[in-house]
Amino acid sequence: MEQLIQELRSFLDAEVPRFREKWGADADSWEARCAWQRTMAGGKWSAPAWSEEHSDRGTCLATLASDDVHGARTTVSDDAAGGRLSGAKTHSLDAHMADVLLVRGERVQLFAVDPRAEGVELRPLTVLDRTRKQFRVELTDARGQLLDEDFGAGLSLTLYVAAVLACAELLGAAGRCLETAVEYALDREQFGRPIGGSQAVKHLLADCLVAVDQMRTADGGAEEITESVVSARGRDGADLAEVASVVKGHCSKAAPGTAETLVQVLGGIGFTWEHPAHLYLRRAKILEVLYGNATGHRARLARALELVPA
């Protein structure tokens, strides 16, 4: 997590000066931020109707609601403000904290929806990781403002960037699991000797070390490509799509395996609520399937490289 925060800070340190240089004294206004987002994404962004409310705060938290619910496809009826949306989206992260819901409509349209508006209902989902809430978003003739008519390329690029960021978080979790396991193996004694002296435990920790080092190498390469694609402000993310599938396909297996090894090395205490091991395992298991699991990314990569029929 610390590594991810550092990467985000580095990105902001690089982007914010350019943003302020371009917009000057208006850099803190909502309209200027939306214009900057439009420049970054290459889309047709505009300020939502409730922009004045958020411009006073200087911040706006948005979350993506793009996953359709089977049998509840989102439909859009036009009105003067942009559209009226009905349907349901699922697995929307931290929707209860969001100021804006970015909802995918028909024909890959993108709408900004106020989560507190009439016709919007947030239903919490029961998920493995209780520290990261997910919601089902129910829309019943909810008012939305059209941001982009064709957000297909932008949505794909967004999900690939999100997959890379998820891998960075998986790396942080796996690294901490390895550190905890090593510390415990050196401290815990059985029959007068540290359990880390056991050949079986050594093999487990050595395998985790290799997995974490491979994740770190993969994430480092993905970070460079992600930065180059985002900074270019382009919609062509072919390189990013390939590298995102490579790192997500690997990290989605390596990180949960490292968390499981931590529980195994800890023994009985690893199965208790009092020890944080289960928190790392739960987070790794959620990130394993978030933005595509290993099987899906490997299949997509095989099709892209023409290793199997499309």
Side-chain angles (χ1 to χ4, degrees), residues 2-21 36 40 223 227 230-231 233:
E2 292 180 359
Q3 180 179 355
L4 175 58
I5 293 175
Q6 291 176 358
E7 292 174 357
L8 289 175
R9 285 176 176 170
S10 299
F11 174 78
L12 291 174
D13 289 342
E15 293 296 334
V16 170
R18 291 205 295 267
F19 168 54
R20 291 192 176 277
E21 180 180 354
W36 180 48
M40 289 286 290
E223 177 189 351
E227 182 179 356
V230 173
S231 61
R233 296 170 172 79

Side-chain angles (χ1 to χ4, degrees), residues 200-250:
V201 175
K202 288 181 180 179
H203 286 172
L204 288 174
L205 297 178
D207 289 342
C208 288
L209 176 62
V210 171
V212 170
D213 281 346
Q214 289 175 337
M215 291 176 62
R216 184 172 291 110
T217 301
D219 279 359
E223 177 189 351
E224 294 180 4
I225 295 178
T226 302
E227 182 179 356
S228 64
V229 171
V230 173
S231 61
R233 296 170 172 79
R235 301 295 283 261
D236 183 10
D239 292 340
L240 179 57
E242 181 177 327
V243 74
S245 290
V246 170
V247 297
K248 192 63 167 65
H250 175 68

Side-chain angles (χ1 to χ4, degrees), residues 3 6 35 50 58 73 122 133 148 153 164 181 193 224 245 265 277 284 296:
Q3 180 179 355
Q6 291 176 358
W50 55 93
R73 185 175 61 89
L122 305 180
K133 299 183 183 300
D148 201 331
V164 173
R193 297 181 56 187
E224 294 180 4
S245 290
V265 171

Side-chain angles (χ1 to χ4, degrees), residues 10-301:
S10 299
F11 174 78
L12 291 174
D13 289 342
E15 293 296 334
V16 170
R18 291 205 295 267
F19 168 54
R20 291 192 176 277
E21 180 180 354
K22 181 176 179 60
W23 296 103
D26 296 330
D28 290 325
S29 71
W30 172 275
E31 290 76 10
R33 288 200 304 275
C34 288
W36 180 48
Q37 291 174 348
R38 180 176 63 247
T39 304
M40 289 286 290
K44 303 172 183 177
W45 297 83
S46 58
W50 55 93
S51 59
E52 294 182 0
E53 173 187 347
H54 301 294
S55 61
D56 295 337
R57 291 164 41 189
T59 60
C60 178
L61 178 64
T63 189
L64 186 64
S66 63
D67 293 347
D68 286 318
V69 175
H70 181 69
R73 185 175 61 89
T74 302
T75 59
V76 180
S77 58
D78 295 334
D79 69 2
R84 293 281 181 173
L85 288 76
S86 297
K89 301 293 184 181
T90 190
H91 301 304
S92 182
L93 297 177
D94 295 326
H96 64 302
M97 300 168 54
D99 299 310
V100 181
L101 299 176
L102 300 178
V103 181
R104 180 172 63 87
E106 297 176 320
R107 304 183 301 278
V108 206
Q109 296 169 319
L110 184 68
F111 290 86
V113 176
D114 187 343
R116 287 162 291 278
E118 182 180 357
V120 181
E121 182 180 359
L122 305 180
R123 295 186 179 182
L125 301 176
T126 301
V127 293
L128 183 63
D129 183 5
R130 300 183 182 182
T131 65
R132 174 165 289 168
K133 299 183 183 300
Q134 298 184 30
F135 290 81
R136 171 174 169 143
V137 180
E138 297 279 357
L139 302 169
T140 306
D141 198 32
R143 175 177 173 270
Q145 181 169 350
L146 181 64
L147 300 180
D148 201 331
E149 281 283 2
D150 184 6
F151 192 61
L155 177 61
S156 297
L157 186 62
T158 300
L159 294 178
Y160 291 140
V161 172
V164 173
L165 291 175
C167 291
E169 189 172 357
L170 283 169
L171 171 60
R176 183 55 184 158
C177 287
L178 176 60
E179 292 174 3
T180 304
V182 171
E183 291 173 0
Y184 186 82
L186 294 176
D187 183 65
R188 178 72 165 90
E189 292 187 356
Q190 279 186 338
F191 308 109
R193 297 181 56 187
I195 63 173
S198 168
Q199 193 78 354
V201 175
K202 288 181 180 179
H203 286 172
L204 288 174
L205 297 178
D207 289 342
C208 288
L209 176 62
V210 171
V212 170
D213 281 346
Q214 289 175 337
M215 291 176 62
R216 184 172 291 110
T217 301
D219 279 359
E223 177 189 351
E224 294 180 4
I225 295 178
T226 302
E227 182 179 356
S228 64
V229 171
V230 173
S231 61
R233 296 170 172 79
R235 301 295 283 261
D236 183 10
D239 292 340
L240 179 57
E242 181 177 327
V243 74
S245 290
V246 170
V247 297
K248 192 63 167 65
H250 175 68
C251 294
S252 289
K253 290 296 184 182
T258 303
E260 292 169 359
T261 298
L262 170 61
V263 174
Q264 185 176 358
V265 171
L266 289 172
I269 194 175
F271 292 86
T272 65
W273 282 90
E274 287 74 14
H275 197 281
H278 69 97
L279 299 176
Y280 290 104
L281 180 58
R282 291 169 185 269
R283 178 59 61 89
K285 285 294 186 181
I286 287 292
L287 291 172
E288 177 183 355
V289 298
L290 199 62
Y291 310 121
N293 60 16
T295 301
H297 275 286
R298 288 169 180 172
R300 197 211 66 78
L301 187 62

